[in-house]
Amino acid sequence: MNQLKVGIVQQDCGLDREANIEKSLDGIANCAKIGANIVVLPELHTSLYFCQSEDVEKFDWAQSIPGKDTIRFGAIAKQHGVVLVTSIFEKRAPGLYHNTAVVFEKDGSIAGTYRKMHIPDDPAYYEKFYFTPGDQGFLPIRTSVGKLGVLVCWDQWFPEAARLMALGGADLLIYPTAIGFESTDTPAEKKRQLDAWITIQRSHAIANGLPVVVVNRTGFEEDWTKVTRGIEFWGNSFLVGPQGEVLYQAPQNSGATKVVSINGSRTEEVRRIWPFFRDRRIDAYNGLTERYLDE
Amino acid sequence: MNQLKVGIVQQDCGLDREANIEKSLDGIANCAKIGANIVVLPELHTSLYFCQSEDVEKFDWAQSIPGKDTIRFGAIAKQHGVVLVTSIFEKRAPGLYHNTAVVFEKDGSIAGTYRKMHIPDDPAYYEKFYFTPGDQGFLPIRTSVGKLGVLVCWDQWFPEAARLMALGGADLLIYPTAIGFESTDTPAEKKRQLDAWITIQRSHAIANGLPVVVVNRTGFEEDWTKVTRGIEFWGNSFLVGPQGEVLYQAPQNSGATKVVSINGSRTEEVRRIWPFFRDRRIDAYNGLTERYLDE
């Protein structure tokens, strides 16, 4: 991984599953055409964000891995000769579902999967109902373009996840995500949230001296139960280098297909001037595996 | 800690130790006058940043705790009725020195100390020569204005340190620091470094849902050995709220005495909407106490 060309497909999604998949496939093809070695899709890009309510029928939308969807995405990875990071609602067994990133190799084979480890649950994001927390740990996925530290959405708020991927040898971190605004929040609160979301992910680049790629969905999706006013997914997919420097940031309210060059040799340079891995106090970090230390 | 008034004293330092201390005392008095409950000083504010070279004679500058300097700072804490966070080159025993933050209670007593845990060492910052890494761990210091998660400079790059203080019940994080530009770096590199430094510390606020206070020194200090071109300490001391929102940022090239109000109840609000502590995967974080996991 010396000069990696990372394609991102920021897209909106609707009720028509086939249309969502076509949008993903078009985006992948466009990125490949302009030179991408790897293409990253947003979280759960084949469907509406169904976690806005708890509905047992939505389990019908889950797919096995390998399965119908992975065959299709594998085929396009092979067709264009790109590594592909997709996001699937995985059916592992009856009553056992995961929010899973599936990484394809250029030849269309599955390079590996990552089952989302941190599962959110708050109004309009009822993920604990749908997804069993991942049981694979934080293991980078080895591909022909490097070792990918793939994490998913809520994971982005946890420095522990980023660190474990980096210690596992990840060359870059990748976050497919689906996050947006709640319409009743004030403009100031919306700004703080978006800014915090960008800042924490830039910080993972800085703390670990590696590039970070974040791909979000965009567009408004209503809550069909009318409990909330729906989610305005905030786009703003972005890529940063190993000092957290922003290389590209997508618009908020429209789709985006973009290829950005990442210079892999900067990781080595940055880690020489900021050798954080040298100085971690591993003798004093035991408390990190505790829930709380105060009482 | 509902409405905390945090005073910061961003200052430059010279060879005249007494003048440095006078500057600190004046800053504390000024902050107290405009209502501060707590005042924070930069790292090693009683002297030049002597770690620019390795010189055994500089160990003469170290002080015992309690000692001459702590008596003086304790007296001013008592005089103005403020909690005080100072930074001392600590002599613990012959051949055993630490970079230590000393926190004073309003009555002038020592509330607690924190011995810098992560010690840097790179050109112009030869701290491993001077300071034994702290052996107290990451323990917040209980004071009348709240539990203070005091960390020092290089600690700021390690999310583990911030997390452990937060798990230990810290109400806010406080970083006395001494960091600056190397004059041969390009303007672009300088911008990246300053921006990374702000970003990573804002991220500790976000990841842990608490306010963060950073106090840096300012001014140019030459390297008397002429190995480097000296350090231009970059100021920019800042305070952020629990979503990483910037409440105040000091100028780069001059001293600053400022009191900023922090609303302690926002921690509760923010942690309700972003309950990261609920979802930490403590069953899967064992690797954090390893040096590296790849080979």
Side-chain angles (χ1 to χ4, degrees), chain B residues 140-281:
Chain B
I141 295 170
R142 194 179 293 273
T143 73
S144 58
V145 298
K147 290 185 78 174
L148 310 183
V150 179
L151 295 160
V152 177
C153 204
W154 192 237
D155 291 321
Q156 65 212 177
W157 301 100
F158 298 82
E160 292 92 341
R163 180 69 97 201
L164 286 165
M165 285 296 190
L167 294 180
D171 294 307
L172 73 165
L173 300 179
I174 296 175
Y175 293 89
T177 180
I179 189 169
F181 298 117
E182 212 281 293
S183 65
T184 59
D185 277 333
T186 63
E189 174 63 20
K190 287 179 181 176
K191 184 184 177 307
R192 278 195 299 272
Q193 291 189 7
L194 174 59
D195 204 21
W197 176 78
I198 292 171
T199 300
I200 191 111
Q201 292 177 99
R202 289 180 61 205
S203 85
H204 302 326
I206 298 163
N208 298 292
L210 41 64
V212 173
V213 176
V214 180
V215 183
N216 192 19
R217 63 169 70 198
T218 187
F220 175 75
E221 296 180 29
E222 68 172 340
D223 172 8
W224 50 81
T225 66
K226 310 291 178 201
V227 171
T228 71
R229 296 194 196 180
I231 304 174
E232 187 193 327
F233 290 98
W234 68 42
N236 279 292
S237 301
F238 65 94
L239 296 91
V240 301
Q243 284 174 308
E245 71 277 22
V246 178
L247 304 173
Y248 169 73
Q249 187 168 346
Q252 188 157 301
N253 297 315
S254 61
T257 300
K258 181 81 185 177
V259 175
V260 179
S261 265
I262 288 181
N263 178 355
S265 65
R266 285 213 67 238
T267 289
E268 175 72 34
E269 290 163 26
V270 168
R271 287 191 186 175
R272 286 185 188 192
I273 62 163
W274 287 344
F276 307 139
F277 286 5
R278 181 192 64 190
D279 292 334
R280 293 178 67 244
R281 290 294 304 270

Side-chain angles (χ1 to χ4, degrees), chain A residues 16-229:
Chain A
D16 182 346
R17 212 168 165 282
E18 183 56 29
N20 299 329
I21 293 177
E22 288 294 340
K23 213 172 272 182
S24 295
L25 297 177
D26 283 354
I28 295 162
N30 284 336
C31 285
K33 210 174 298 171
I34 47 177
N37 312 120
I38 171 174
V39 182
V40 182
L41 283 291
E43 187 183 18
L44 302 171
H45 52 94
T46 65
S47 69
L48 285 173
Y49 182 70
F50 50 88
C51 312
Q52 284 206 61
S53 71
E54 303 194 356
D55 175 5
V56 289
E57 297 201 353
K58 291 296 184 298
F59 289 111
D60 288 343
W61 295 10
Q63 304 274 320
S64 57
I65 298 172
K68 235 169 44 181
D69 281 10
T70 65
I71 288 169
R72 207 153 165 196
F73 288 117
I76 194 160
K78 183 177 180 180
Q79 181 188 338
H80 294 288
V82 293
V83 169
L84 198 55
V85 181
T86 65
S87 171
I88 305 268
F89 180 18
E90 178 190 5
K91 177 171 188 170
R92 190 171 173 187
L96 187 55
Y97 301 82
H98 293 283
N99 184 329
T100 304
V102 182
V103 178
F104 298 90
E105 196 36 275
K106 290 177 190 176
D107 64 4
S109 64
I110 293 177
T113 62
Y114 167 78
R115 293 189 178 119
K116 188 173 181 175
M117 289 286 284
H118 299 96
I119 305 294
D121 199 281
D122 52 283
Y125 299 83
Y126 301 102
E127 295 198 17
K128 288 194 196 296
F129 174 72
Y130 291 102
F131 310 125
T132 298
D135 57 349
Q136 301 162 312
F138 302 95
L139 300 173
I141 295 170
R142 194 178 293 275
T143 72
S144 57
V145 298
K147 289 184 79 174
L148 310 183
V150 179
L151 295 159
V152 177
C153 203
W154 193 237
D155 291 322
Q156 65 212 177
W157 301 99
F158 297 83
E160 292 92 341
R163 181 69 98 202
L164 286 165
M165 285 295 189
L167 295 179
D171 294 308
L172 73 165
L173 300 179
I174 296 175
Y175 293 89
T177 180
I179 189 170
F181 298 118
E182 212 278 296
S183 65
T184 59
D185 277 334
T186 64
E189 175 63 21
K190 288 180 180 175
K191 186 184 175 308
R192 279 195 299 271
Q193 292 190 5
L194 174 60
D195 204 22
W197 176 78
I198 292 170
T199 301
I200 191 109
Q201 293 178 96
R202 290 180 60 206
S203 85
H204 303 325
I206 297 163
N208 298 291
L210 42 64
V212 173
V213 176
V214 180
V215 183
N216 192 19
R217 64 168 71 198
T218 186
F220 174 76
E221 296 181 27
E222 66 172 341
D223 172 8
W224 51 81
T225 65
K226 309 293 180 198
V227 170
T228 72
R229 296 196 195 177

Side-chain angles (χ1 to χ4, degrees), chain B:
Chain B
M1 179 202 150
N2 245 333
Q3 200 68 27
L4 190 63
K5 294 194 166 184
V6 181
I8 64 160
V9 180
Q10 174 175 299
Q11 68 174 84
D12 59 352
C13 300
L15 192 54
D16 182 346
R17 209 168 166 284
E18 184 56 27
N20 300 328
I21 293 177
E22 290 293 341
K23 212 173 274 182
S24 295
L25 297 177
D26 283 353
I28 295 162
N30 284 336
C31 286
K33 209 175 300 168
I34 46 177
N37 312 120
I38 171 174
V39 182
V40 182
L41 284 291
E43 187 182 18
L44 301 171
H45 52 94
T46 66
S47 70
L48 285 174
Y49 181 71
F50 50 88
C51 312
Q52 284 206 61
S53 71
E54 301 193 358
D55 175 5
V56 289
E57 298 201 352
K58 292 296 183 298
F59 288 111
D60 289 343
W61 294 11
Q63 303 275 318
S64 57
I65 298 174
K68 233 168 45 182
D69 281 8
T70 64
I71 288 169
R72 208 151 164 198
F73 289 116
I76 193 161
K78 182 178 182 180
Q79 181 188 338
H80 294 287
V82 293
V83 169
L84 198 57
V85 181
T86 64
S87 172
I88 306 267
F89 179 18
E90 177 189 6
K91 178 171 186 171
R92 189 171 174 185
L96 185 56
Y97 301 83
H98 294 282
N99 184 329
T100 303
V102 182
V103 178
F104 298 90
E105 198 32 275
K106 290 177 190 176
D107 64 4
S109 64
I110 292 178
T113 62
Y114 167 79
R115 293 187 177 122
K116 188 173 181 175
M117 290 286 286
H118 299 97
I119 305 294
D121 199 281
D122 53 283
Y125 298 82
Y126 301 103
E127 295 198 18
K128 288 193 197 295
F129 174 72
Y130 291 102
F131 309 125
T132 298
D135 57 350
Q136 301 163 310
F138 302 95
L139 299 175
I141 295 170
R142 194 179 293 273
T143 73
S144 58
V145 298
K147 290 185 78 174
L148 310 183
V150 179
L151 295 160
V152 177
C153 204
W154 192 237
D155 291 321
Q156 65 212 177
W157 301 100
F158 298 82
E160 292 92 341
R163 180 69 97 201
L164 286 165
M165 285 296 190
L167 294 180
D171 294 307
L172 73 165
L173 300 179
I174 296 175
Y175 293 89
T177 180
I179 189 169
F181 298 117
E182 212 281 293
S183 65
T184 59
D185 277 333
T186 63
E189 174 63 20
K190 287 179 181 176
K191 184 184 177 307
R192 278 195 299 272
Q193 291 189 7
L194 174 59
D195 204 21
W197 176 78
I198 292 171
T199 300
I200 191 111
Q201 292 177 99
R202 289 180 61 205
S203 85
H204 302 326
I206 298 163
N208 298 292
L210 41 64
V212 173
V213 176
V214 180
V215 183
N216 192 19
R217 63 169 70 198
T218 187
F220 175 75
E221 296 180 29
E222 68 172 340
D223 172 8
W224 50 81
T225 66
K226 310 291 178 201
V227 171
T228 71
R229 296 194 196 180
I231 304 174
E232 187 193 327
F233 290 98
W234 68 42
N236 279 292
S237 301
F238 65 94
L239 296 91
V240 301
Q243 284 174 308
E245 71 277 22
V246 178
L247 304 173
Y248 169 73
Q249 187 168 346
Q252 188 157 301
N253 297 315
S254 61
T257 300
K258 181 81 185 177
V259 175
V260 179
S261 265
I262 288 181
N263 178 355
S265 65
R266 285 213 67 238
T267 289
E268 175 72 34
E269 290 163 26
V270 168
R271 287 191 186 175
R272 286 185 188 192
I273 62 163
W274 287 344
F276 307 139
F277 286 5
R278 181 192 64 190
D279 292 334
R280 293 178 67 244
R281 290 294 304 270
I282 56 175
D283 60 309
Y285 290 167
N286 283 324
L288 293 171
T289 55
E290 300 293 325
R291 183 62 65 209
Y292 202 56
L293 297 166
D294 192 26
E295 54 202 36

